[in-house]
Amino acid sequence: MSEKSKLIISDTTLRDGEQSPGASMTRDEKVRIAKALERMRVDVIEAGFPAASGGDFEAVQAVAGAVRDSRICALARAHEQDIRRAAEALADAEAARIHTFLATSPIHMEKKLKMTPEQVLEQAVRAVRLARSLCDDVEFSPEDAGRSDPDFLCRVIEAVIDAGATTVNIPDTVGYAVPHQFAELIRSLIERVPNSDKAIFSVHCHNDLGLAVANSLAAVLAGARQVECTINGLGERAGNASLEEIVMAVRTRQDVFPCDTDINTREIVPTSRLVSNITGFPVQPNKAIVGANAFAHESGIHQDGVLKHRETYEIMRAEDVGWHTNRMVLGKHSGRAAFRSRLQELGITFESEEQLNEAFARFKELADKKHEIFDEDLQALATETSTELENERVKLVFLSVCSQTGETPRAKVTLSVDGVERHAEAEGSGPVDASFKAIEQIVASESELVLYSVNSITTGTDAQGEVTVRLDKGGRIVNGQGADTDIVIASARAYVNAVNKLWQGGSRTHPQVGGI
Ligand code: KIV
Ligand code: ZN
């Protein structure tokens, strides 16, 4: 990369992103997202917090075993047990990182940790030393750095670098910073810490005031060379800095930034869709880069300008971030070879030939109903095929709904449960409600429906609806997905998918743990 320095992209969708309330991911879903991040050439993937639960440990282990081209990072509090657990989970990684953290702000030290600053400093150093004895790449975060005393921060940072930290990450944990002040903090830390040249300075900004991306970019201009971010800006509370916005701001404004990333930007939109589909967090239409309207021109003046010369109103090319302009890709007569080849072009791979065959059968079914199949349809189809779990206990066999003006909607459902067909009928306030009630009569999941969302995958009335259903059973949250040109069928499939996850223990991989 010529004379420009490299900006390291550390993605924390699988860790901080999963802390978004309800953004649950199973181990296999985390692996699918990690593979997409690897294709995008993300440098570091923070895969989870192994000490938080057995599920999170297994997810980090699975990601570490599946990804070869990105460094896999595991989070650990500054405790011996957490750090050893992180190292264990990372054992199979081609390149590993332990990320340990301890709060340094007066309010966190006094009220949460009940420790003096000297004790915090000592514990941070001990944690980094231990981590470094287990892994040659160690990141340390002084949690709530944005509200910490800069003099104390300088002492802690100098000490952890001496103890072996290779990356020092400055988190604005509560999203309190504003850009010029955060930039000044980063600049002064780099200037004042005597051994700052021995570590990469990183930032991790939360979006409580809507400033996460602005703060991160200001920090980059002040010398930070790693940004922690997430796909679609997912993350605790209002989320983290969004990866797509950071990457495209730096790429588009090379006249301003002294660095660039290695990200393959064409993977941005497919990865955004995948994350949205798996987590059940829709992307708002006006979201920068990945929103459906991000490259749409409504006003006549704009349309006219773009047709005459694209750059009159466009600062980026839609295709450079993975929006396809020529999107009609396959139809009813397309064969298996064309199907497989298009999936490969989209970076979609299946774990087995059986899954590919299953996806092809679904494609043929879809092509019978829908004249033109777009890339987005293929993505949804692939997501559905690979989110279906092995050993699914419940399958949707038959669904019929009757909905007419002046009548109460009614649904008849047949499910196969552990291989036995079961039937139910129910009324509801609408056809979806009636279908869910009929399914519940059979499965009796005793869960609460906490989210139901439908997204149109493409345009037109023959578009597939992509449905997410979120169920909560005593605090265990699962997301189910379904897609079909008939949104009632898509909804029933999503509900059944969620029930299967509940029954297979596919809940969020870790509960909230005090301290983060
Ligand atoms: O926001 C935060 O401070 C964190 C740390 C664990 C880096 O997520
Ligand atoms: Zn965070």
Side-chain angles (χ1 to χ4, degrees):
M1 193 182 290
S2 61
E3 70 285 4
K4 293 261 181 189
S5 59
K6 166 150 168 166
L7 178 62
I8 297 166
I9 293 295
S10 174
D11 180 279
T12 183
T13 307
L14 303 179
R15 198 278 296 170
D16 214 317
E18 206 202 17
Q19 288 172 218
S20 311
S24 67
M25 298 175 219
T26 63
R27 185 195 59 193
D28 292 352
E29 287 167 346
K30 280 194 164 193
V31 170
R32 291 184 65 217
I33 292 175
K35 294 295 284 177
L37 295 171
E38 181 186 32
R39 278 198 294 278
M40 202 198 277
R41 297 204 290 265
V42 158
D43 301 288
V44 182
I45 299 173
E46 187 162 63
F49 184 8
S53 72
D56 224 0
F57 180 89
E58 280 174 23
V60 174
Q61 212 174 28
V63 169
V67 170
R68 298 290 89 182
D69 296 337
S70 306
R71 186 173 290 277
I72 306 304
C73 172
L75 185 72
R77 285 168 297 187
H79 299 161
E80 179 174 349
Q81 257 190 339
D82 275 33
I83 294 168
R84 291 197 185 279
R85 224 33 204 150
E88 232 181 289
L90 292 169
D92 289 340
E94 182 78 28
R97 168 177 293 181
I98 295 177
H99 175 189
T100 185
F101 69 98
L102 189 60
T104 49
S105 64
I107 185 169
H108 277 232
M109 291 190 291
E110 195 187 316
K111 306 283 182 210
K112 182 182 84 175
L113 300 174
K114 305 200 187 310
M115 287 167 79
T116 65
E118 291 316 307
Q119 287 170 324
V120 165
L121 194 140
E122 274 167 33
Q123 187 170 327
V125 166
R126 260 201 315 276
V128 169
R129 270 209 198 106
L130 172 64
R132 199 47 213 270
S133 72
L134 302 168
C135 182
D136 60 10
D137 188 317
V138 172
E139 174 171 319
F140 177 77
S141 292
E143 193 194 5
D144 204 17
R147 293 189 298 171
S148 300
D149 167 34
D151 293 341
F152 180 56
L153 266 186
C154 284
R155 286 181 60 211
V156 172
I157 292 170
E158 181 182 355
V160 295
I161 294 175
D162 269 346
T166 44
T167 299
V168 172
N169 179 47
I170 307 300
D172 178 25
T173 304
V174 291
Y176 183 67
V178 292
H180 74 281
Q181 172 240 331
F182 195 57
E184 195 37 49
L185 174 67
I186 301 300
R187 188 174 296 112
S188 81
L189 292 176
I190 295 174
E191 257 169 38
R192 291 178 57 199
V193 171
N195 52 2
S196 64
D197 59 325
K198 305 269 183 316
I200 299 279
F201 275 67
S202 165
V203 288
H204 173 114
C205 295
H206 278 272
N207 205 31
D208 300 67
L209 294 173
L211 291 171
V213 169
N215 286 333
S216 305
L217 293 175
V220 170
L221 289 172
R225 283 298 171 268
Q226 174 177 286
V227 172
E228 297 195 351
C229 43
T230 57
I231 301 292
N232 301 337
L234 274 188
E236 185 88 41
R237 303 181 312 277
N240 289 75
S242 107
L243 178 147
E244 56 277 11
E245 293 175 24
I246 298 284
V247 167
M248 290 315 292
V250 170
R251 182 70 48 89
T252 306
R253 297 305 308 270
Q254 279 290 288
D255 56 326
V256 171
F257 290 96
C259 51
D260 199 3
T261 70
D262 285 344
I263 295 293
N264 173 6
T265 59
R266 288 181 172 254
E267 294 294 337
I268 286 178
V269 169
T271 309
S272 158
R273 288 202 61 91
L274 180 68
V275 169
S276 166
N277 188 237
I278 285 176
T279 58
F281 276 60
V283 174
Q284 75 197 57
N286 59 332
K287 165 84 175 63
I289 322 291
V290 293
N293 293 348
F295 291 88
H297 298 279
E298 179 66 23
S299 108
I301 296 173
H302 287 208
Q303 286 171 355
D304 180 53
V306 169
L307 287 174
K308 285 182 176 143
H309 187 83
R310 172 148 72 175
E311 285 161 28
T312 51
Y313 287 101
E314 279 188 8
I315 59 165
M316 295 168 276
R317 299 185 333 153
E319 54 272 36
D320 289 346
V321 296
W323 290 106
H324 298 281
T325 41
N326 179 15
R327 299 194 299 187
M328 207 286 276
V329 285
L330 296 172
K332 187 178 165 128
H333 301 295
S334 306
R336 200 167 176 283
F339 177 70
R340 184 203 283 267
S341 130
R342 188 62 199 156
L343 290 184
Q344 270 165 359
E345 279 167 35
L346 290 173
I348 298 168
T349 48
F350 289 108
E351 271 164 24
S352 65
E353 202 64 11
E354 205 186 334
Q355 272 196 336
L356 175 71
N357 291 341
E358 164 86 359
F360 185 62
R362 286 190 173 192
F363 158 72
K364 281 291 182 186
E365 232 175 75
L366 180 63
D368 270 340
K369 294 193 240 167
K370 193 171 183 286
H371 191 53
E372 300 167 314
I373 307 287
F374 298 95
D375 282 343
E376 287 89 337
D377 292 312
L378 295 181
Q379 296 276 16
L381 197 138
T383 297
E384 245 209 346
T385 308
S386 43
T387 51
E388 272 177 7
L389 310 166
E390 275 172 41
N391 311 319
E392 271 188 334
R393 291 181 56 194
V394 195
K395 287 188 191 342
L396 178 69
V397 177
F398 171 83
L399 171 66
S400 150
V401 283
C402 179
S403 170
Q404 61 187 78
T405 42
E407 296 293 328
T408 305
R410 210 172 164 73
K412 281 190 199 171
V413 169
T414 305
L415 301 180
S416 158
V417 182
D418 295 329
V420 179
E421 289 206 353
R422 313 260 308 269
H423 313 275
E425 282 188 45
E427 288 185 343
S429 56
V432 171
D433 187 44
S435 308
F436 287 3
K437 284 186 171 135
I439 293 171
E440 262 307 313
Q441 274 185 27
I442 300 173
V443 298
S445 74
E446 289 168 10
S447 59
E448 189 193 344
L449 177 69
V450 288
L451 177 119
Y452 169 70
S453 90
V454 188
N455 267 309
S456 166
I457 293 179
T458 54
T459 52
T461 49
D462 70 346
Q464 286 197 89
E466 187 175 46
V467 177
T468 300
V469 161
R470 184 173 299 154
L471 298 181
D472 180 342
K473 183 172 183 179
R476 259 181 72 211
I477 292 175
V478 292
N479 286 317
Q481 291 89 10
D484 199 280
T485 48
D486 180 325
I487 59 161
V488 184
I489 293 177
S491 305
R493 282 205 183 133
Y495 199 97
V496 166
N497 183 239
V499 170
N500 274 307
K501 285 181 177 171
L502 266 187
W503 284 6
Q504 293 194 1
S507 61
R508 77 174 283 132
T509 46
H510 65 80
Q512 298 296 321
V513 170
I516 61 166

